[in-house]
């Protein structure tokens, strides 16, 4: 039976969850979600988001309070609820079709319906070609699409998604969210937790959760406006020094709310644009720096998130790094040099003629969709994998990349968690300090720093496998830099890490670069790719575009228009009939359109009212997708495609 159109799909009142002994994970939260709404739950690690999801899914009982799905207690409404957990929960040794069949049978769905619905959703997700592939051999994005298809086979009226796109590339994320928007229009109620605040912008409403309480709730635009601030994009000749000077001014969070460093600019959040601009200019000029306030804009949802938590005294510790061996004398010299690198696996060409140069003191971002060849390239660049062809230079050496001397000059944090789950944190750190040759007299100080950076002081005896994902990533990052490498490889280091912790990561990455370390990083989160000095975009084993964040934006053709319309999904579907699909993206009640011509007459002719249109700056996600689509038109496709 289809729920009534005006019914409240999810009702939560005074929800409390207490774990023994007296640990309160959820502290009396309340909210209602109407039918057909996408509702985002955001917050730092330990906020209580997953506990809330488990109670709503009927997996866990509340200590007190009310939780209802269309008027029924959550446990009694499980047949109406689809739930995607943080980790992939299907069977890797079953095929796509077998997983769908298994989940459908568990839900007592008729075989004919499983087949029809499975085909419908796999076709919707462009996965109908992969029914015979083992789930364990799918990319991260395809695994999440399969998990979503399995959840939808039972045709739930409520869908709960706990960080569904962690580790998913930007193209797949865009497709995933386009699908969610269509499902919501059809009446499905969706509640989603995400560490990516650009995704939260796509929700109709968002709740900010912290330490078991909801601090703010509303539409993304309302939350940004409630901050009462402007964002200044500041360009200067010494970003590190400028960040230090302005951070002093932001200490009381009244004159300057926040300062964030990117690859070729600073973002400064101020309550008053004119007064803030004057303060920024005078502060930097008095410090002997040049300054150019490039533009004034609205704050992002991430700016709002960070400012809200900082206002209540919550921030991630960024203890001073006990660096004793800087590499400043090497700045400007080549640390990673590759020319025409290629890698064959049998007849499959995974990497083709890749040339990369990263200098000491530089942060280089290698971006690409799943299957693009990034991880294979990194393994060749750091000497873990021998190239089939091409020339390479690493840390001053042109050969013997696996020698102990070269090993001690580089650090590597792999895409998958790289420490030992069955060892304690302290045992892991001791092991890696020994492997990397950290001087014995520095080991204890470095271990104390990793624990402080990770927010785990006094918990060094915990078994590493028991840590939540975000804390694991912090420990792994700390372990990879204990020996102060001159060259650092980071393969998706902040996957699943919340925005506050991500800030701490990037403060440390920038600090290392300031000390002269050469850093090559991959990421699927394009907002943080802004923090790189230069970027390389990889498609089907080739680097197809390269430049600074501002430079790659300037290379794009067409304008990005943000449109507020009365029928956003209808408008998106209409424009996709004649425009390339990637050019149209839905953000809650707003539409992003990349175009070289005016589309408002077409919308008006279809009876769609346009309330506002203004030009926005291209995001790096838009740039990434444009680059990938252009390459695909030229016949460059990943093996998986």
């Amino acid at each position: 039976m289809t729920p009534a159109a005006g019914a409240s799909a999810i009702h939560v009142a005074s929800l409390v969850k207490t774990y023994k002994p007296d640990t309160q994970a959820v502290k009396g939260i309340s909210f209602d979600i109407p039918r057909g709404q996408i509702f985002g739950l955001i917050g730092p690690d330990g906020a209580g988001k997953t506990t809330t999801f488990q109670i709503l899914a009927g997996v866990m009982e509340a200590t007190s309070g009310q939780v209802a799905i269309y008027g029924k207690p959550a446990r009694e409404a499980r047949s109406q609820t689809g739930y995607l957990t943080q980790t992939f929960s299907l069977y890797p040794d079953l095929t796509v079709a077998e997983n769908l069949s298994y989940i459908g049978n568990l839900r007592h769905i008729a075989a004919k319906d499983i087949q029809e619905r499975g085909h419908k959703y796999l076709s919707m997700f462009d996965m109908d070609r992969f029914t015979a592939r083992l789930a364990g051999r799918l990319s991260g994005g395809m695994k999440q699409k399969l998990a979503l298809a399995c959840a939808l086979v039972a045709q739930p009226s409520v869908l709960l998604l706990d960080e569904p796109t962690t580790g998913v590339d930007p193209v797949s994320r865009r497709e995933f969210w386009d699908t969610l928007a269509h499902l919501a229009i059809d009446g499905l109620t969706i509640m989603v937790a995400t560490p990516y605040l650009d995704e939260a912008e796509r929700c109709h409403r968002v709740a900010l959760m912290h330490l078991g309480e909801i601090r703010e709730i509303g539409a993304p635009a309302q939350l940004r406006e409630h901050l009462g601030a402007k964002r200044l994009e500041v360009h200067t000749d010494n970003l590190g020094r400028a960040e230090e000077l302005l951070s002093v001014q932001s200490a009381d969070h009244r004159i300057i709310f926040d300062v964030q460093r990117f690859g070729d600019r600073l973002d400064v959040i101020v309550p008053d644009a004119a007064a803030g601009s004057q303060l920024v200019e005078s502060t930097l000029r008095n410090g002997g720096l040049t300054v150019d306030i490039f533009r004034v804009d609205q704050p992002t949802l991430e700016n709002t998130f960070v400012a809200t938590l900082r206002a209540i005294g919550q921030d991630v510790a960024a203890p001073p790094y006990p660096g004793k061996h800087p590499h400043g004398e090497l700045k400007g010299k080549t640390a990673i040099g590759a020319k025409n690198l290629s890698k064959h696996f049998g007849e499959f060409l995974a990497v083709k003629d890749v040339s990369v140069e990263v200098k000491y003191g530089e942060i280089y971002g290698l971006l690409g969709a799943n299957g693009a060849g990034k991880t294979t390239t990194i393994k060749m660049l750091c000497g873990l994998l021998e190239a089939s062809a091409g020339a390479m230079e690493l840390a001053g050496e042109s050969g013997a990349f696996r020698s102990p001397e070269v090993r001690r000059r580089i650090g590597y944090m792999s895409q998958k968690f790289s420490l030992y789950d069955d060892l304690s944190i302290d045992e892991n750190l001791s092991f890696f300090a020994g492997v990397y040759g950290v001087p014995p007299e520095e080991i204890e100080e470095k271990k104390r720093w990793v624990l402080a950076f990770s927010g785990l002081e006094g918990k060094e005896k915990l078994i590493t496998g028991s840590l939540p994902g975000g804390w694991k990533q912090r420990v792994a990052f700390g372990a990879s830099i204990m020996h102060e490498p001159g060259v650092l490889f980071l393969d998706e280091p902040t996957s699943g890490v919340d925005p506050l912790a991500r800030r701490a990561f990037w403060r440390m990455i920038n600090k290392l670069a300031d000390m002269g370390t050469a850093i090559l990083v991959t990421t699927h989160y394009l907002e943080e790719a802004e923090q790189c000095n230069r970027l390389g975009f990889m498609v089907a084993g080739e680097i197809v575009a390269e430049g600074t964040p501002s430079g790659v934006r300037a290379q794009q053709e067409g304008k990005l228009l943000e449109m507020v319309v009365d029928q956003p999904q209808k408008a998106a579907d209409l424009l996709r009939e004649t425009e390339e699909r990637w050019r149209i993206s839905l953000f809650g009640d707003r539409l992003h359109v990349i175009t070289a011509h005016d589309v408002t007459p077409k919308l008006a002719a279809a009876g769609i009212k346009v309330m506002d249109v203004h030009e926005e700056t291209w995001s790096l996600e838009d740039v990434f997708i444009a680059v990938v689509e252009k390459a695909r038109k030229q016949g460059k496709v990943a093996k998986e495609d």
Side-chain angles (χ1 to χ4, degrees), residues 123-198:
S123 297
M124 183 184 294
F125 304 153
D126 193 27
M127 282 189 60
D128 49 325
R129 298 166 289 154
F130 303 110
T131 54
R133 183 175 293 187
L134 293 177
R137 299 192 64 182
L138 299 174
S139 70
M142 292 173 74
K143 282 180 179 177
Q144 292 303 84
K145 290 176 185 178
L146 173 58
L148 181 57
C150 287
L152 293 172
V153 159
Q155 292 191 332
S157 54
V158 167
L159 186 60
L160 306 172
L161 307 174
D162 194 0
E163 300 191 7
T165 62
T166 295
V168 176
D169 70 74
V171 174
S172 296
R173 282 175 60 203
R174 175 74 63 94
E175 294 169 349
F176 193 91
W177 277 90
D178 285 345
T179 299
L180 295 186
H182 268 285
L183 293 170
I185 286 293
D186 292 339
L188 181 63
T189 303
I190 301 168
M191 183 170 168
V192 57
T194 175
Y196 305 124
L197 276 298
D198 62 332

Side-chain angles (χ1 to χ4, degrees), residues 273-290:
S277 297
Q278 187 175 20
L279 176 64
V280 168
E281 288 190 24
S282 62
T283 300
L284 297 189
R285 286 189 174 132
N286 288 340
L289 303 178
T290 63

Side-chain angles (χ1 to χ4, degrees), residues 249-513:
Q249 296 285 358
S250 70
D252 63 4
H253 310 317
R254 287 179 295 178
I255 304 171
I256 294 177
F257 289 166
D258 188 28
V259 179
Q260 187 175 11
R261 179 174 169 180
F262 291 96
D264 54 6
R265 72 172 200 274
L266 296 177
D267 273 8
V268 184
I269 310 302
V270 295
D272 181 87
S277 297
Q278 187 175 20
L279 176 64
V280 168
E281 288 190 24
S282 62
T283 300
L284 297 189
R285 286 189 174 132
N286 288 340
L289 303 178
T290 63
V291 58
D292 175 26
I293 307 254
F294 184 67
R295 69 196 298 260
V296 179
D297 209 339
Q298 296 298 319
T300 65
L301 195 57
E302 181 161 326
N303 296 144
T304 305
F305 175 97
V306 171
T308 300
L309 292 185
R310 289 183 70 186
I312 58 174
Q314 176 68 20
D315 207 347
V316 172
Y321 180 61
K324 304 180 189 307
H325 314 285
H327 311 282
E329 77 284 358
L330 297 173
K331 276 191 175 184
K333 296 181 180 179
T334 298
I336 305 168
K339 189 171 183 180
N340 303 123
L341 280 191
S342 294
K343 182 62 183 178
H344 287 268
F345 293 101
E347 295 185 1
F348 173 57
L349 182 59
V351 176
K352 179 182 178 183
D353 293 331
V354 164
S355 296
V356 171
E357 184 180 37
V358 185
K359 297 184 182 299
Y360 286 99
E362 182 179 33
I363 304 172
Y364 184 94
L366 187 62
L367 311 178
N370 291 324
K374 303 185 304 299
T375 298
T376 300
T377 300
I378 282 186
K379 286 180 177 178
M380 287 191 291
L381 292 175
C382 69
L384 288 176
L385 190 64
E386 189 173 345
S388 302
M392 228 185 78
E393 177 184 348
L394 175 63
E397 299 287 341
S398 56
F401 299 133
R402 298 191 183 187
S403 69
E405 292 77 15
V406 172
R407 295 290 96 195
R408 281 193 284 269
R409 292 181 215 160
I410 68 172
Y412 178 54
M413 180 178 171
S414 70
Q415 190 179 90
K416 294 182 173 62
F417 182 59
S418 53
L419 303 184
Y420 293 94
D421 274 347
D422 52 351
L423 296 182
S424 70
I425 298 170
D426 185 69
E427 289 168 337
N428 264 301
L429 295 179
S430 294
F431 174 76
F432 279 92
V435 168
Y436 280 129
V438 176
E441 66 275 12
E442 297 179 16
I443 291 177
E444 290 306 315
E445 182 184 19
K446 293 286 177 61
K447 286 163 63 174
R448 285 195 299 272
W449 176 83
V450 176
L451 290 168
F453 174 80
S454 306
L456 293 167
E457 298 100 322
K459 299 179 181 178
E460 63 275 5
K461 300 302 180 186
L462 285 177
I463 297 300
T464 308
S466 68
L467 297 174
W471 273 288
K472 282 185 178 181
Q473 292 294 90
R474 294 182 221 176
V475 175
F477 175 72
S480 72
I481 63 172
M482 289 175 72
H483 60 303
E484 302 182 44
V487 182
L488 180 61
F489 295 89
L490 301 172
D491 198 0
E492 297 184 30
T494 65
S495 180
V497 174
D498 71 70
L500 280 180
R502 205 157 47 232
R503 285 285 188 96
F505 264 81
W506 278 95
R507 279 197 292 267
M508 192 61 242
I509 291 170
N510 278 305
K511 175 65 174 175
L512 291 169

Side-chain angles (χ1 to χ4, degrees), residues 24 65 409 514 554 599:
Q24 202 167 52
R409 292 181 215 160
D514 290 342
V599 298

